[in-house]
């Protein structure tokens, strides 16, 4: 029987958590947080006994990738989405796919961990050891099954002079692509985009969008 009062005890808890993940001798991931807790996954009022979630409070994450060999990039068309003239046609987005390799992720001693949830979180993306993009949000989930990172709540991203604001954003490390499925505002040095769907590379170059309106900014 669960305790009659209070919150169920976590299955594992670490204070002052820090982890460096490597793949084939190269560092691909660093995670720091105030606490690292593994608890049963909760759906509504119920906790599922066979599924667990790893939670990291006040997480700071660095993800490392390398620049890819230039090649022709074809962006998959989606219904109602138009390609942007600013979309890169010759370069390929850097890949961060090794971050999902089991050797790169924190070694969890409990089977059945469904995802890693970080609340709140700041993630920095590095290419060739140089920080190129940061993303902050109220929470982010490293979803092992779908192999993506889902940001929710007051999501902010910045790369150079480009800045993105939205409430939900997906990062696909294998493709080096960001997807925003709802309302967004993308600010560049000369233009402001607003709409309901956006696909961009990690440098916030637009690959596809549904635009509500845009206007050039005069300086």
């Amino acid at each position: 029987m669960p305790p009659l009062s209070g919150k169920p005890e976590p299955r594992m808890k670490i204070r002052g958590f820090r982890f460096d993940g490597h793949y084939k001798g190269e560092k691909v991931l660093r995670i720091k947080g105030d606490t690292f807790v593994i608890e049963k996954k909760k759906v509504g009022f119920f906790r599922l006994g066979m599924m667990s979630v790893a939670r990291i409070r006040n997480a700071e994450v660095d993800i490392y990738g390398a620049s890819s060999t230039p090649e022709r990039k074809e962006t998959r068309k989606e219904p109602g989405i138009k390609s942007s003239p600013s979309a890169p046609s010759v370069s390929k987005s850097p890949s961060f796919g090794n971050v999902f390799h089991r050797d790169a992720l924190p070694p969890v001693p409990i089977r059945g961990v469904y995802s890693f949830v970080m609340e709140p979180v700041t993630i920095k993306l590095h290419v060739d050891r140089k920080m190129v993009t940061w993303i902050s949000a109220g929470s982010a989930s490293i979803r092992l099954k779908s192999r993506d990172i889902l940001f929710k709540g007051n999501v902010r991203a910045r790369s150079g002079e480009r800045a993105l604001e939205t409430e939900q954003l997906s990062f696909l490390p294998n493709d080096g692509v960001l997807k925003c499925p709802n309302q967004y505002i993308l600010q560049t040095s000369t233009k402001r985009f607003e709409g309901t769907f956006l696909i961009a590379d990690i440098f916030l170059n637009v690959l596809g969008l549904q635009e509500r309106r845009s206007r050039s900014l005069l300086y």
Side-chain angles (χ1 to χ4, degrees), residues 184-205:
Y184 70 87
I185 298 174
L186 175 63
Q187 181 75 59
T188 72
S189 59
T190 59
K191 199 170 185 180
R192 175 187 175 100
F193 298 91
E194 295 184 36
T196 55
F197 185 91
L198 173 72
I199 304 175
D201 65 15
I202 64 164
F203 306 104
L204 299 182
N205 293 308

Side-chain angles (χ1 to χ4, degrees), residues 143-184:
R143 302 191 296 182
L144 303 179
K145 187 174 181 179
S146 54
R147 300 181 71 82
D148 68 354
I149 301 176
L150 177 64
F151 298 87
K152 288 185 177 182
N154 195 30
V155 183
R156 300 289 184 269
R158 190 170 189 92
S159 181
E161 295 183 340
R162 295 171 178 260
L164 175 66
E165 299 179 15
T166 185
E167 284 300 309
Q168 185 169 315
L169 182 72
S170 295
F171 171 46
L172 286 65
N174 283 333
D175 302 321
V177 168
L178 300 168
K179 285 190 176 183
C180 177
N182 49 17
Q183 300 289 330
Y184 70 87

Side-chain angles (χ1 to χ4, degrees), residues 9 27 37 51 54 83 97 118 161-162 167 171 176 187 218-219:
E9 287 294 319
K27 182 164 68 175
V37 177
M51 301 176 68
S83 297
M118 300 167 285
E161 295 183 340
R162 295 171 178 260
E167 284 300 309
F171 171 46
Q187 181 75 59
L218 300 178
Y219 293 95

Side-chain angles (χ1 to χ4, degrees), residues 30-213:
R30 168 173 286 178
I31 303 176
K32 295 190 296 182
D34 291 348
T35 57
F36 178 86
V37 177
I38 295 181
E39 58 188 25
K40 292 181 181 179
K41 180 176 174 59
K42 186 176 181 181
V43 178
F45 295 102
F46 303 97
R47 295 185 180 272
L48 306 181
M50 298 299 292
M51 301 176 68
S52 299
V53 175
R55 294 188 180 275
I56 305 171
R57 288 288 301 169
N58 295 319
E60 297 179 10
V61 182
D62 294 278
I63 301 177
Y64 300 89
S67 56
S68 303
T69 304
E71 64 178 47
R72 185 77 182 175
K73 186 174 182 66
E74 297 293 338
T75 305
R76 183 170 61 89
K77 298 270 187 179
E78 301 210 14
I81 307 303
K82 65 179 181 179
S83 297
S84 168
S86 63
S89 58
V90 196
S91 62
K92 181 182 178 182
S93 291
S95 173
F96 300 83
N98 291 333
V99 74
F100 282 107
H101 195 277
R102 66 180 182 179
D103 293 338
L105 291 171
V108 179
I110 298 174
R111 297 180 62 184
V113 170
Y114 180 77
S115 64
F116 290 82
V117 178
M118 300 167 285
E119 304 169 316
V121 62
T122 299
I123 290 182
K124 298 176 181 179
L125 302 180
H126 302 256
V127 177
D128 297 331
R129 301 297 169 181
K130 180 181 178 181
M131 198 273 285
V132 295
T133 304
W134 62 258
I135 307 171
S136 65
S139 70
S141 301
I142 300 177
R143 302 191 296 182
L144 303 179
K145 187 174 181 179
S146 54
R147 300 181 71 82
D148 68 354
I149 301 176
L150 177 64
F151 298 87
K152 288 185 177 182
N154 195 30
V155 183
R156 300 289 184 269
R158 190 170 189 92
S159 181
E161 295 183 340
R162 295 171 178 260
L164 175 66
E165 299 179 15
T166 185
E167 284 300 309
Q168 185 169 315
L169 182 72
S170 295
F171 171 46
L172 286 65
N174 283 333
D175 302 321
V177 168
L178 300 168
K179 285 190 176 183
C180 177
N182 49 17
Q183 300 289 330
Y184 70 87
I185 298 174
L186 175 63
Q187 181 75 59
T188 72
S189 59
T190 59
K191 199 170 185 180
R192 175 187 175 100
F193 298 91
E194 295 184 36
T196 55
F197 185 91
L198 173 72
I199 304 175
D201 65 15
I202 64 164
F203 306 104
L204 299 182
N205 293 308
V206 177
L207 303 178
L209 54 79
Q210 273 185 346
E211 197 175 359
R212 186 167 65 239
R213 66 180 181 275

